[in-house]
Amino acid sequence: MKDRDFLWCAANLMLDDEQELDGLCPSCRSRALEQRCFACGVPLEHTDMAVNGGFDETRFEKMKRGEVT
């Protein structure tokens, strides 16, 4: 396959996903877009696994404002 073929496939997969979401009511659509555990279905935002323990929020904010430390 050529690069353009991969791009065409990826674009069509995205469009297929959008079509499936368009068929859902707003409540079901928001639930479908939530990140959930593949095994048990628990929303990942309620677990500590989605948190990067090494992330420095204060340093990130300084860097975002252009204050290099």
Side-chain angles (χ1 to χ4, degrees):
M1 285 178 61
K2 296 181 179 179
D3 287 343
R4 68 174 181 249
D5 297 326
F6 285 111
L7 178 62
W8 185 85
C9 287
N12 279 293
L13 285 172
M14 290 172 56
L15 290 173
D16 290 344
D17 289 344
E18 274 299 312
Q19 279 183 323
E20 286 183 26
L21 290 173
D22 286 344
L24 299 174
C25 70
S27 175
C28 291
R29 183 182 177 113
S30 65
R31 287 188 57 218
L33 292 173
E34 288 178 350
Q35 296 222 348
R36 296 185 167 268
C37 173
F38 291 116
C40 67
V42 172
L44 291 178
E45 64 189 33
H46 299 298
T47 64
D48 291 336
M49 291 192 232
V51 176
N52 180 354
F55 185 73
D56 184 355
E57 183 75 31
T58 307
R59 183 168 183 256
F60 173 75
E61 291 299 325
K62 286 181 182 179
M63 291 175 72
K64 194 164 71 169
R65 291 189 303 265
E67 302 170 12
V68 180
T69 56

